[in-house]
Amino acid sequence: MGLNKRRVNSLWRLKGRLMLRSYTRERGRLVGAIMAILFLGPMVIAAAIGSALGYLRLPDPWPAQLLGFILVLLWFIWLIFPIFFSSLNEAADITRLLIYPLPQRDIIASVLLGTLFDYPTYLMLPLLLAVLIGWGASLALPVVIIAILLGFAHMIFIGLLVGTALGGVLQSRRFRDIAIIFTALLGSSCYFLQVGFGRLIENVTQNMSQEELLALQPLPILQWFPTGAAAQAIAQASDGQWIAALGWLFYSSLWLLLIVWAWWKLIVRLTTGEGFLFARAPRPQKEIKTAPARAATLPIFLRRLPPDIAQIMSKEFKSIWRTPLRRVGLIQGLLVPIFMGGFILIRNESSISSLTSFNFIGLGLPLYALFIYWVTSFNMLGWEGKGLPVLFLTPVSRRRIFLGKGLALYIVASLSFLLVGIIFTLVLGNWVSLGGLLTGLISGFTTIGVTAVFATLFPSPIHQESRRRRSSLSTRGGCLPALANLFLLVPLIFIMAIPAAVPLLLAYFFDLPWVMFVALPLSLAYALPIFWLGCRHSANLLATREPEVLAATRVED
Amino acid sequence: MDIPAVEALGLTRHFGQKTAVANLNLTVAEGEFFGFLGPNGAGKSTTINMLVGLLRPSQGTARISGIDIWQNPLPAKRLLGVLPEGLNLYQRLSANEFVRFVGSMYDIPAPEVESRAAELIDLLDLTLDADKLIIDYSHGMRKKTALAAALIHAPRVLFLDEPFEGIDAITGRIIRDVLQQLRGQGTTIFFSSHILEVVERLCTRVGVIADGRLVAEGTINELRERAETGSATTLEDIFIKAVGATADVQNSGKLSWLK
């Protein structure tokens, strides 16, 4: 029984239509795709040209080694790709087709054809074309073509398998939360990993002899991977070892069958509610409680505050801690100085001793504080997500909403800042860094006062369940909030913090530490009213534009 | 003269070229159980959002117990309880936390919030899951949580947008009983629903909106008389006639290829 061409054509066109609409309805995706093609396209073409030259010009056995390396690397990239980029768009979701009487082969064929609508496919093609150019000009051409097609199918289906497995994992909110944090942190630590990897390569190449390096032929290991076997088949065929080549093609095909089978099985299991990997055992019946639910109590340090402000602060703490993307923001803020410090240490182990001799590094702490307070508090209304209408339906004073949110955000950001600031102050051990720490804490009030006003004037939506940290800096909320946040908010935060930093700057330039400690209360006397005025002004603004703020922050399901 | 609980005065809302609600005038007396009916996309939720201060009207205004919600939003909102269509909830709070949080926004003394929240959660059968995060709730549980939050301050006027949509019979029964009790205590209820049988059973008066215009208003008996369809007519018949869909309904249900 063959494929039903009409059905496959319909499925293929459905995927194309959904894909096209995902780009036209969500401009951010389109911009992302164009940027990816513009950024990665030239790199891929350069790599393809380089690899083709390598296949043709390198002495034996290196062309075969290079081929194995590239095909396995591509396979790994496709394996990892869904972890970072699967956004569960409906074009890729074939589980919706399972209610229709469609044979498995039609769906699989349409999935393979549907990859023509995925731009990553086109990023892979130049490298596969290079294989054809490098190895096809011989009697081995049929094997090369089969191996390339096999490799292509391997890459598509491993991506689908991982994507589906991830979808299964993401059905659980706890796993989804962990995935959000993991993805965001891995993305943000790429720079550090790159530095570490560079250092590793440097060590390996410096410490190994030429003979040892030449003995590092990866193909004997890589051939056991699905696409490595395809590479070995090409290498064997070009040496005239036809039986061995067919053997490797057969081995690679078995892998493909296994992966396709596992993918299909997983889809069916997830769709029919059999659970991810293993069937779920029925949970024991919970004992029914008859007592009323446990009362939620406020933390001790909030109990002396007015109840509405205390409740708003308490809600804000819970929301920050329980929303993975907000937690990621805080962790990323902490990672910046750790990565920078780590980078300095990797480059030069003696840097730490030289650091202490530079007083001016302490002046950087208030700048870091501005960054932390900004990252934590900007678009504070957008972060309310679906709960914002609840807040706006209540009769609580809008000034108290901003005071509650502002104080909660100040405390959270201060904890992050203090963690890093105290370490720096202890390491540097000078009065400038202590002054920087105190000035940073004070400037947090001016920063949050400013961000509160901007949150009301330029709010934008934030999808809290998204797997990537999106913010007002993305185009999702439109261009105006993004531009305002970058070009107005950041300079204004800096300008408003300058008066608070005057005592530190005066003390530093005239080398008079006592000036700073005497004048710091004046800084506080400046910063606290700015915070209060910011909250009051935001509340006045909000009173005239609540429906507009709601419309601007609305998140579609 | 008694002050009406809800007044819509020439409410109009445009979305670009489309007029979602056009010059809507409506009065709901105190203690009334008012049913607000209309086909999908007729403008029911848009009207409710304008009445409760979540969507700014292009023209006109709304009053809650005589207070203009667009001039004096906070005093008006003090009187309101809202179960919105989108069930706006803080997804990362539990029902326990959410209901108490909303209660504390209305200046209710903390012990009172505690006892009311516990009672509401118990009544709405949320006790077992009250400490789970709302993000993990089913639709029915979310609806009950939103209803508990809308009721905790004992509002004088309660707006319910499709309270019976997507919930099971047991939950529906619980909500209906709560609404009956509120009605008995004199709470004004403004209620939109597709389920005409529920509207017929609960509401003292109904308004029908179609294409953004109020096309019928009155008690069910009054509408029956106006529709001249006889006493045996159901609310469904009256509704279909009021929205002018009689011809559509007569021609529907006939597929040429089904024999």
Side-chain angles (χ1 to χ4, degrees), chain A residues 184 284 358 390 488:
Chain A
F358 294 112
V390 176
L488 282 177

Side-chain angles (χ1 to χ4, degrees), chain A residues 139-463:
Chain A
L139 284 174
L141 181 65
V143 174
V144 173
I145 291 172
I146 293 169
I148 287 174
L149 290 175
L150 208 53
F152 178 79
H154 267 303
M155 290 166 210
I156 300 299
F157 281 104
I158 195 68
L160 287 170
L161 177 65
V162 173
T164 309
L166 209 62
V169 168
L170 293 181
Q171 281 178 2
S172 149
R173 201 240 328 142
R174 284 179 202 282
F175 279 113
R176 200 166 60 227
D177 289 357
I178 292 167
I180 290 171
I181 293 173
F182 174 77
T183 309
L185 291 183
L186 203 64
S188 65
S189 59
C190 273
Y191 173 69
F192 192 60
L193 291 175
Q194 182 198 336
V195 172
F197 188 68
R199 180 89 172 163
L200 182 75
I201 296 283
E202 210 175 285
N203 276 342
V204 167
T205 49
Q206 278 173 2
N207 297 333
M208 289 178 86
S209 67
Q210 202 174 355
E211 290 72 28
E212 282 173 322
L213 275 174
L214 283 172
L216 275 180
Q217 292 184 19
L219 195 55
I221 296 167
L222 298 179
Q223 67 190 2
W224 300 108
F225 287 90
T227 47
Q232 186 62 288
I234 292 174
Q236 296 290 335
S238 65
D239 280 349
Q241 306 287 329
W242 300 103
I243 307 264
L246 289 176
W248 284 112
L249 281 181
F250 179 69
Y251 172 75
S252 184
S253 306
L254 283 182
W255 259 114
L256 185 63
L257 285 175
L258 181 73
I259 288 167
V260 172
W261 174 82
W263 166 67
W264 187 261
K265 201 80 186 154
L266 200 58
I267 281 176
V268 173
R269 286 185 74 90
L270 290 172
T271 317
T272 53
E274 288 172 81
F276 175 63
L277 294 183
F278 305 105
R280 284 180 203 151
R283 287 185 184 177
Q285 190 83 29
K286 273 188 185 174
E287 196 183 328
I288 296 174
K289 295 180 210 165
T290 47
R294 180 178 54 79
T297 49
L298 283 172
I300 294 168
F301 69 98
L302 293 179
R303 287 185 197 161
R304 286 181 177 274
L305 291 169
D308 48 2
I309 293 183
Q311 284 290 347
I312 288 169
M313 289 179 72
S314 167
K315 177 205 71 74
E316 199 69 20
F317 290 138
K318 285 173 192 156
S319 166
I320 291 172
W321 182 245
R322 292 175 188 171
T323 308
L325 278 186
R326 301 194 79 174
R327 230 186 295 177
V328 164
L330 286 176
I331 299 171
Q332 280 175 334
L334 286 174
L335 288 179
V336 170
I338 293 170
F339 283 175
M340 287 178 70
F343 178 69
I344 291 168
L345 292 178
I346 282 173
R347 281 297 164 100
N348 182 2
E349 283 80 359
S350 64
S351 299
I352 196 151
S353 58
S354 58
L355 271 179
T356 55
S357 57
F358 294 112
N359 263 352
F360 69 85
I361 289 175
L363 295 179
L365 278 178
L367 290 175
Y368 173 61
L370 295 186
F371 170 72
I372 283 282
Y373 287 108
W374 169 56
V375 167
T376 311
S377 66
F378 85 98
N379 195 19
M380 60 175 80
L381 294 176
W383 276 110
E384 288 284 317
K386 291 185 173 177
L388 192 58
V390 176
L391 212 52
F392 286 179
L393 278 170
T394 64
V396 72
S397 144
R398 278 27 183 172
R399 185 162 48 85
R400 291 166 95 91
I401 291 179
F402 280 105
L403 280 173
K405 287 179 72 68
L407 285 174
L409 293 169
Y410 179 80
I411 291 171
V412 170
S414 295
L415 289 175
S416 297
F417 173 62
L418 279 172
L419 191 68
V420 172
I422 288 173
I423 293 171
F424 264 72
T425 306
L426 289 176
V427 169
L428 298 172
N430 55 45
W431 67 266
V432 181
S433 50
L434 180 62
L437 182 72
L438 296 172
T439 306
L441 285 174
I442 291 170
S443 65
F445 286 112
T446 63
T447 305
I448 293 176
V450 176
T451 53
V453 176
F454 268 69
T456 319
L457 285 174
F458 303 104
S460 59
I462 292 177
H463 200 301

Side-chain angles (χ1 to χ4, degrees), chain B residues 2-234:
Chain B
D2 285 345
I3 297 170
V6 181
E7 278 178 289
L9 304 163
L11 276 185
T12 302
R13 176 69 201 199
H14 307 291
F15 290 107
Q17 299 286 315
K18 183 179 160 59
T19 301
V21 175
N23 194 29
L24 189 129
N25 291 289
L26 185 73
T27 304
V28 179
E30 204 155 307
E32 255 187 339
F33 200 133
F34 185 82
F36 196 45
L37 310 178
N40 291 331
K44 298 189 295 293
S45 296
T46 305
T47 304
I48 290 179
N49 282 341
M50 288 192 287
L51 289 171
V52 301
L54 289 180
L55 182 70
R56 193 182 300 285
S58 307
Q59 281 159 35
T61 193
R63 288 193 197 131
I64 304 296
S65 296
I67 304 169
D68 189 320
I69 196 154
W70 292 101
Q71 296 293 325
N72 292 303
L74 299 192
K77 284 175 182 178
R78 202 170 285 282
L79 308 174
L80 287 181
V82 184
L83 177 76
E85 187 190 26
L87 299 181
N88 308 308
L89 303 165
Y90 286 105
Q91 310 232 53
R92 301 269 168 173
L93 293 185
S94 66
N96 247 336
E97 293 167 340
F98 180 71
V99 175
R100 282 167 174 81
F101 168 72
V102 174
S104 61
M105 295 294 108
Y106 287 88
D107 290 340
I108 307 168
E112 185 66 21
V113 171
E114 286 301 324
S115 68
R116 286 188 192 183
E119 205 177 334
L120 277 165
I121 280 171
D122 191 35
L123 176 75
L124 291 167
D125 199 23
L126 286 166
T127 312
L128 266 182
D129 300 295
D131 288 324
K132 276 190 192 167
L133 297 192
I134 291 169
I135 194 171
D136 296 329
Y137 281 9
S138 67
H139 182 74
M141 286 159 72
R142 285 174 195 223
K143 194 149 259 183
K144 288 192 280 188
T145 307
L147 184 65
L151 294 178
I152 190 156
H153 58 292
R156 271 168 61 182
V157 184
L158 182 63
F159 285 88
L160 304 164
D161 198 351
E162 304 284 0
F164 295 101
E165 198 181 43
I167 54 164
D168 61 55
I170 299 164
T171 310
R173 180 64 182 267
I174 292 170
I175 293 178
R176 220 162 48 216
D177 291 347
V178 172
L179 296 183
Q180 294 275 28
Q181 195 191 344
L182 286 167
R183 185 187 160 193
Q185 288 171 343
T187 306
T188 308
I189 300 173
F190 191 104
F191 162 92
S192 88
S193 179
H194 286 302
I195 305 169
L196 300 181
E197 177 256 327
V198 176
V199 175
E200 198 162 13
R201 198 187 307 170
L202 293 176
C203 296
T204 49
R205 216 155 59 87
V206 293
V208 182
I209 185 172
D211 290 331
R213 292 172 194 282
L214 193 68
V215 292
E217 189 195 352
T219 63
I220 291 172
N221 281 337
E222 283 169 355
L223 294 181
R224 227 172 240 144
E225 281 166 23
R226 265 180 248 160
E228 296 169 348
T229 47
S231 60
T233 312
T234 62

Side-chain angles (χ1 to χ4, degrees), chain A residues 21-33:
Chain A
R21 287 194 187 147
S22 75
Y23 286 128
T24 51
R25 296 293 294 264
E26 212 180 321
R27 294 288 159 87
R29 284 177 70 93
L30 183 64
V31 173

